[in-house]
């Protein structure tokens, strides 16, 4: 085995090692520090952990493919909010009033279509103008947020549909609806990236764009499809979350892009594209959620979570650099 | 007698860039089952021609024929589908993907719903790899392969297609001798299948070993095609260099001064070992060897870009440690690097700012950069080096290669160094600028500079250097006096064939 | 001849496009509403842009050096909270230098990670965004910070005072812009920033200490953030922990709008000031036209993309990307 292979294996395993570490730490520390009698690794607690991971996790799957493809999407938080508003608002539209509970799938479809369309718009701009995805989505992050406010100004949009709430709160085989969605999306995206031509081409484009172009891969459409997927998933995340909560603030979803990117990078996806995997991202999402829950469990402030996650992100980067460090004879530029 | 239809035929290809006629009416043909060498100096137009064949550039005039069909290739993919396959010098692989995915990049076999047909992919790939007799399989991650094996992946790509013509661009640059044998077998197989092969290389020994005919380009012009069996190295070299460039042996014998730089037992990991030499004021020391012999790495170590693992560097008799280019510059060492655009220049900056960059801290008027002094320096070296630019405000990226190189040289001359190192100073620039730079190097030595010139071109080192250090595989094989050395002994030394004698100081 | 003149127009647009757009904006808004171009209104625009503007000045250095700084928003919250807290504890005279020292320490940390350890600046500053936010919350205990005696402190001068009839924040913004503009355009350090961002390898080969240059850029950025925090704290004399949230991206938008390339090596302080003013005037102009604040978001989006697109299009000589 070559040195590169070893560090690759280490990197792939690192996130799971980290999760085990977190579990052990919070279980032990919880014995001494926790105010509640419940153990940290309680079954209900763990089931809840999966459910709470879903909103970020579903988007993170989309971010993983966009980043593997060599792009980034900063507008997911705003897309999330738009989809949420469309979901809740459309259920009150007079034109859909006659549908009864059949309004639910219609509203879902509307929200998902909106998300996909917003993603497509990002992708189209990146493809046709050649402007860097970072700038395009930085712009649409502002623009899409502006659209959010156009619906209801600064007021929240609320609508509770009890059938929907029942659906969202249901547990099948012990897992919550949201968890099922997270698992389903993870599986689907994993399949897409490892088994399909589109997925493999996405890797190739992010890895060596010139080689991909020379090999005749159509870079533009692949990028656009990936932006549509992340838009769809941002909307799906909103659909899953707001089916239960029933009320959306125009500022909801802010900073989601940062959480999502953090999870994806923790999961081992390279910021420059070409490398990364869905299972790693799943680990990254769980690790962040574990950290939030665990720190809460031992009575730490929510503020500590931000601090710790930020530092861990940087620590991962330093570790990665150490693993990739070349010999002493390397060129110092 | 029926005439064989060529596998590939070029007819009057012309390609111009602003200010440069890169290809000027180039015509030649490659027959099926022929290995056809394409030779020429750097800047002769080989790479432009290859880009035209590869669909990256469109010719301004002329036509390309594959078999009996005239083809127009707007994209690299089109070139591939027309049966023109490229083995690139710079690897164009996706390192995170498997060998099989790289070989079939852009053409993965599909099943329903856009799924990859992995079985077919791996089976086909393994069949091809079997032919190449390589030690890895279709599922290996390309990033885990050695550079030589990555090159084999590139070669395997050519075999997936119904190739009419395969172009090898310096394919042996990073291969070991054993791997070369495999490569030559592959080429023989292709040849037996009736494929036309264009083989680009600087290595005469390979050219004479495997090619059938040789076509030479010079200054973008076709200079003739000869049968390999009917010619020899000297004749080919003659065709490549022609009369335009004076490359007579250096015979100047001006007085040499004190030792400016001495290196003792210098090593840097696996890159080079136990290197020792000295350069005196007023002399040009040439470093000659193949790419990868460790010449550039020695220069980089002297310039503080690499940390030596052993050995001493003495400047004017005093031992120094150089940890960074800033250190080196402060001690009077300057380096004109190999990669002009990547290492030598900030292309988005203007001429003046590029030229004064290393001394911008010293050119101060109060807290500010003394722009007047900068302009004065620029003017001085523009005149001295005859740099042709509309003015100092011109962005360096807009200049021709020769003028860019003069900016880099001017940058380092204006530092008034004790030791000036030039790494491939004439790579990729036109013949006119080339001889100007050669003349300049000689003048600098006459003025008392200690100059080191690294070059892959034998006529160049013979022309400019007083003494020549021959390197092979990270070691100095011998040091020659340039007016006494024979070309044969020089070639033997850089091929590792000469006697492994310690360097003799002249 | 037509080709030549078209090329000239292209170059002109690429170089001065942002100024032309700015002029068109001003004229259009002035025609729509005569109140737009009055001294009072111009002052109010610049004053409300001052905090964003001061931060953008620092980020300009970072971007030209070829890096990003996404942590300036949460860093600004941090300095605001710290200076307000220390104001009542050790007095404003000591609180201000103490706050500057702490903010600069954060900047130095980022500079160390990006400059000397050569880590990816996007991820480092993303991590710092989160970490500094946590640090601020830990520092404040999550509570809003208020000065006890809001009437009796001279501290309010930075945010609310005027000198010679001009609001102090405007003076600070313009003075800092002038100072940093000269540093970037005229000093050896400024030259090195362009070289490092333009081609880091070539800069190293020219003997420039690249790590040190990048490090200094982050220090400058942190210094600007501290100044912005000072203005913010002084203006409000009380603050939430999240006062700077989201500003990092608005700041970046202003810098990009000014024409700095995210690839590094290009941009100027003057252009960034224009970028800041454009954002400020759009916001103000749309408000004067009776439009809601969020319309500004949408307009900003369109302007950013158009600005960068035209810039790229002029450089490559064709409007649409050649990507297949």
């Amino acid at each position: 085995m070559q040195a590169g292979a070893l560090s690759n294996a280490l990197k792939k395993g690192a996130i799971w090692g980290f999760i085990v570490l977190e579990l052990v730490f919070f279980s032990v520390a919880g014995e001494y520090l926790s105010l509640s009698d419940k153990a940290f690794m309680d079954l209900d607690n763990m089931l809840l952990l999966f459910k709470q991971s879903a909103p970020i996790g579903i988007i993170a799957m989309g971010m993983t493919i966009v980043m593997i493809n060599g792009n980034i999407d900063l507008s997911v938080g705003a897309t999330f909010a738009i989809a949420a508003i469309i979901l809740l608002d459309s259920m009150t539209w007079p034109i859909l009033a006659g549908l009864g509970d059949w309004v639910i799938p219609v509203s879902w479809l509307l929200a998902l279509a909106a998300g996909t369309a917003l993603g497509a718009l990002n992708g189209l701009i990146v493809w046709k103008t050649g402007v860097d995805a970072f700038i395009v989505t930085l712009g649409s992050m502002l623009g899409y947020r502006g659209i959010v406010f156009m619906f209801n100004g600064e007021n929240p949009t609320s609508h509770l549909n009890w059938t929907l709430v029942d659906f969202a709160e249901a547990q099948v085989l012990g897992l919550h609806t949201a968890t099922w969605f997270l698992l389903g999306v993870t599986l689907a995206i994993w399949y897409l990236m490892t088994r399909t031509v589109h997925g493999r081409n996405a890797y190739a484009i992010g890895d060596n764009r010139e080689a991909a172009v020379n090999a005749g891969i159509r870079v533009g459409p692949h990028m656009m499809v990936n932006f549509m997927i992340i838009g769809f998933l941002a909307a799906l995340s909103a659909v899953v979350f707001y089916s239960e909560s029933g009320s959306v603030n125009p500022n909801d979803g802010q900073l989601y892009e940062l959480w999502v990117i953090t999870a994806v990078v923790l999961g081992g996806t390279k910021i420059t594209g070409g490398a990364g995997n869905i299972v790693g991202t799943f680990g990254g999402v769980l690790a962040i959620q574990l950290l939030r829950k665990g720190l809460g469990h031992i009575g730490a402030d929510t503020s500590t979570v931000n601090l710790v996650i930020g530092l861990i992100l940087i620590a991962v980067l330093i570790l990665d650099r150490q693993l990739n460090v070349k010999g002493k004879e390397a060129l110092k530029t | 007698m029926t005439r064989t239809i060529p596998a590939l035929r070029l007819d009057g290809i012309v390609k111009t860039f602003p200010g440069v006629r890169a290809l000027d009416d180039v015509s030649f043909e490659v027959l099926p089952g022929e290995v056809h060498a394409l030779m020429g100096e750097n800047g002769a137009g080989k790479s432009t021609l290859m880009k035209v064949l590869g669909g990256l550039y469109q010719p301004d005039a002329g036509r390309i024929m594959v078999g009996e069909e005239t083809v127009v290739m707007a994209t690299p993919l089109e070139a591939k589908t027309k049966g023109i396959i490229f083995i690139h010098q710079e690897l164009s692989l996706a390192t995170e993907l498997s060998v099989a995915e790289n070989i079939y990049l852009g053409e993965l076999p599909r099943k329903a719903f856009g799924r990859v047909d992995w079985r077919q992919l791996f089976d086909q790939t393994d069949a091809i790899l079997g032919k190449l007799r390589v030690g890895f399989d279709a599922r290996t991650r390309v990033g885990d392969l050695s550079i030589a094996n990555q090159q084999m992946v590139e070669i395997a790509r050519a075999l997936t297609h119904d190739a009419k013509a395969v172009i090898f661009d310096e394919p042996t640059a990073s291969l070991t001798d054993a791997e070369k044998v495999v490569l030559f077998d592959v080429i023989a197989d292709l040849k037996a299948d009736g494929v036309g092969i264009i083989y680009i290389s600087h290595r005469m020994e390979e050219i004479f070993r495997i090619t059938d005919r040789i076509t030479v380009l010079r200054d973008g012009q076709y200079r003739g095609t000869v049968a390999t069996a009917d010619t020899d190295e000297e004749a080919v070299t003659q065709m490549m260099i022609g009369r335009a460039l004076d490359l007579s042996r250096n015979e100047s014998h001006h007085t040499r001064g004190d030792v400016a730089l001495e290196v003792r037992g210098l090593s840097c990991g696996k890159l080079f070992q136990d290197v020792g030499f000295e350069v005196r004021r007023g002399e040009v020391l040439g470093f000659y060897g193949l790419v990868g012999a460790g010449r550039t790495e020695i220069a980089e170590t002297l310039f503080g870009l690499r940390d030596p693992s052993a050995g001493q560097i003495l400047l004017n008799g005093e031992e120094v440690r150089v940890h960074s280019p800033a250190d080196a510059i402060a001690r009077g060492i300057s380096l004109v690097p190999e990669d002009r655009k990547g290492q030598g220049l900030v292309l988005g900056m203007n001429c003046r700012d590029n030229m004064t960059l290393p001394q911008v801290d010293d050119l101060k008027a109060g807290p500010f950069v003394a722009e007047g002094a900068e302009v004065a320096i620029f003017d001085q070296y523009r005149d001295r080096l005859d740099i042709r630019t509309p003015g100092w405000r011109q962005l360096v990226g807009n200049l021709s290669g020769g003028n860019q190189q003069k900016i880099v040289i001017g940058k380092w001359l204006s530092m008034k160094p004790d030791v000036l190192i030039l790494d491939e100073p004439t790579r990729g620039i036109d013949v006119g600028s080339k001889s100007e730079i050669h003349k300049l190097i000689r003048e600098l030595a006459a003025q008392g500079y200690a100059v080191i010139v690294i070059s892959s071109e034998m006529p160049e080192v013979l022309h400019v250097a007083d003494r020549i250090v021959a390197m092979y595989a990270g070691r100095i094989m011998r040091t020659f006096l340039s007016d006494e050395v024979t070309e044969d002994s020089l070639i033997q030394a850089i091929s590792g064939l000469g006697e492994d004698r310690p360097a003799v100081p002249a | 001849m037509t080709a030549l003149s078209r090329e000239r127009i292209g170059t002109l647009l690429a170089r001065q496009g942002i100024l032309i757009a700015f002029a068109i904006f001003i004229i259009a808004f002035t025609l729509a509403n005569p109140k737009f171009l009055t001294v009072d209104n111009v002052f109010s625009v610049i004053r409300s842009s001052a905090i964003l503007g001061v931060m953008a000045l620092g980020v300009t250095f970072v971007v030209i050096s070829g890096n990003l700084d996404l942590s300036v928003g949460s860093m600004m919250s941090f300095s605001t909270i710290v200076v307000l807290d220390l104001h009542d504890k050790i007095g404003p005279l000591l609180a201000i230098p103490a706050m500057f020292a702490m903010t600069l320490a954060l900047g130095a940390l980022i500079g160390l990670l990006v400059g000397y350890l050569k880590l990816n600046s996007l991820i480092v500053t993303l991590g710092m965004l989160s970490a500094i936010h946590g640090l601020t919350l830990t520092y404040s205990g999550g509570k809003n910070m208020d000065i006890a005696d809001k009437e009796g402190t001279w501290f309010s001068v930075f945010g609310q005072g005027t000198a010679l009839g001009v609001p102090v924040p405007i003076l600070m913004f313009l003075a800092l812009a002038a100072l940093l503009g000269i540093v970037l355009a005229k000093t050896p350090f400024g030259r090195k920033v362009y070289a490092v961002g333009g081609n880091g390898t070539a800069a190293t080969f020219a003997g420039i200490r690249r790590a040190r240059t990048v490090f200094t850029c982050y220090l400058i950025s942190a210094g600007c953030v501290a100044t912005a925090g000072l203005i913010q704290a002084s203006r409000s004399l009380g603050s939430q922990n999240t006062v700077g949230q989201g500003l990092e991206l608005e700041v970046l938008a202003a810098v990009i709008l000014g024409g700095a390339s995210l690839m590094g090596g290009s941009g100027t302080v003057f252009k960034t000031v224009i970028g800041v003013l454009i954002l400020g005037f759009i916001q103000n102009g749309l408000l004067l036209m009776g439009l809601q604040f969020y319309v500004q978001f949408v307009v900003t989006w369109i302007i950013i993309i158009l600005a960068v697109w035209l810039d790229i299009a002029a450089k490559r000589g064709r409007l649409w990307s050649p990507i297949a």
Side-chain angles (χ1 to χ4, degrees), chain C residues 115-232:
Chain C
Y116 288 92
L117 291 184
K118 299 186 173 67
L119 303 180
N120 181 300
S121 67
L122 173 65
I123 304 189
V124 166
T125 57
L126 190 63
M128 289 302 281
L129 183 161
S130 177
I132 296 173
H133 182 54
L135 190 67
T136 311
L137 287 169
T138 311
Y139 184 93
S140 67
K143 291 189 288 287
N144 291 351
M145 206 58 83
D146 277 293
I147 286 177
D149 179 12
K150 290 191 178 181
E151 302 301 315
T153 177
W154 56 267
F155 182 73
S156 62
V157 68
F158 303 108
Q160 302 169 20
T162 55
L164 309 165
V166 183
V168 172
I170 297 184
L171 289 176
M172 289 175 75
F173 172 42
L174 296 181
L176 203 57
L179 175 72
L180 292 177
I182 290 170
V183 168
L184 189 58
K186 296 291 173 193
T187 66
F189 169 73
R191 186 71 61 78
K192 291 186 215 167
V193 174
Y194 282 106
V196 165
N199 182 346
T201 309
T204 309
F205 271 76
I208 291 171
R209 297 188 191 273
R210 187 173 168 185
R212 186 186 292 176
T213 309
V214 171
F215 179 82
T216 312
C217 287
Y218 278 103
L219 273 191
I220 290 174
S221 179
C224 289
V225 168
T227 310
L230 178 66
I231 298 173
Q232 173 65 41

Side-chain angles (χ1 to χ4, degrees), chain B residues 10-159:
Chain B
L10 298 167
D11 203 359
I13 302 290
V14 175
K15 177 75 194 173
T16 52
F17 297 106
V20 194
R21 205 166 173 84
L23 290 175
D24 190 1
D25 192 18
V26 173
S27 310
F28 70 96
E29 55 185 39
V30 183
L31 301 174
E34 176 193 33
V35 181
H36 195 113
L38 183 64
M39 300 197 72
E41 288 194 288
N42 291 315
K46 281 175 303 176
S47 54
T48 309
L49 185 62
M50 291 307 106
K51 284 180 178 158
V52 168
L53 276 179
L56 287 163
Y57 290 162
Q58 297 308 308
D60 300 335
R63 60 181 180 155
I64 301 167
M65 292 181 74
V66 175
E68 287 180 299
E69 185 193 354
T70 302
V71 295
V72 176
M73 295 164 299
T75 63
L77 183 66
E78 262 184 79
K80 200 156 83 174
T81 53
K82 299 277 157 56
I84 302 177
I85 312 292
F86 248 95
I87 311 297
H88 290 273
Q89 188 177 5
E90 285 135 37
L91 298 172
S92 59
L93 297 169
T95 52
E96 294 289 336
L97 299 185
S98 67
V99 167
E101 286 170 290
N102 269 285
I103 290 175
Y104 285 93
L105 195 64
E107 298 157 310
L108 295 175
R110 288 164 189 261
K111 290 192 288 188
F113 307 111
R115 289 173 301 157
V116 179
D117 189 341
W118 292 106
R119 173 169 296 179
Q120 194 193 343
L121 176 66
F122 287 137
D123 286 354
Q124 285 175 358
T125 308
D126 278 330
I128 290 169
L129 294 178
K131 272 196 221 166
L132 291 175
R133 295 180 289 279
V134 292
F136 53 88
D137 70 12
R139 290 173 169 78
T140 317
R141 187 174 150 270
V142 166
D144 291 337
L145 296 175
S146 67
I147 299 292
N149 278 335
Q150 292 186 7
Q151 182 98 44
M152 295 311 279
V153 175
E154 283 269 353
I155 291 167
R157 260 186 199 169
L159 306 180

Side-chain angles (χ1 to χ4, degrees), chain A residues 55 59 74-90 110-112 114-115 118 140-153 155-158 230-239 241-242 245 247-257, chain C residues 297:
Chain A
I59 307 177
L74 299 175
S75 69
V76 285
T79 306
F80 175 84
I82 290 182
I85 288 184
I86 289 179
L87 172 78
L88 298 184
D89 208 44
S90 65
L110 284 173
L112 294 174
L118 293 173
S140 55
M141 182 182 83
L142 278 175
Y144 293 178
R145 184 63 66 182
I147 296 172
V148 172
F149 280 102
M150 285 178 184
F151 277 93
N152 226 344
N155 305 311
T157 306
S158 305
I230 193 172
F232 174 85
L233 291 178
L236 184 66
S237 169
V239 158
F241 185 76
Y242 289 100
S245 93
S247 178
V248 50
N249 269 307
N251 280 320
D252 281 5
Q254 248 179 15
L255 294 184
Y256 266 35
E257 54 279 347
Chain C
F297 287 1

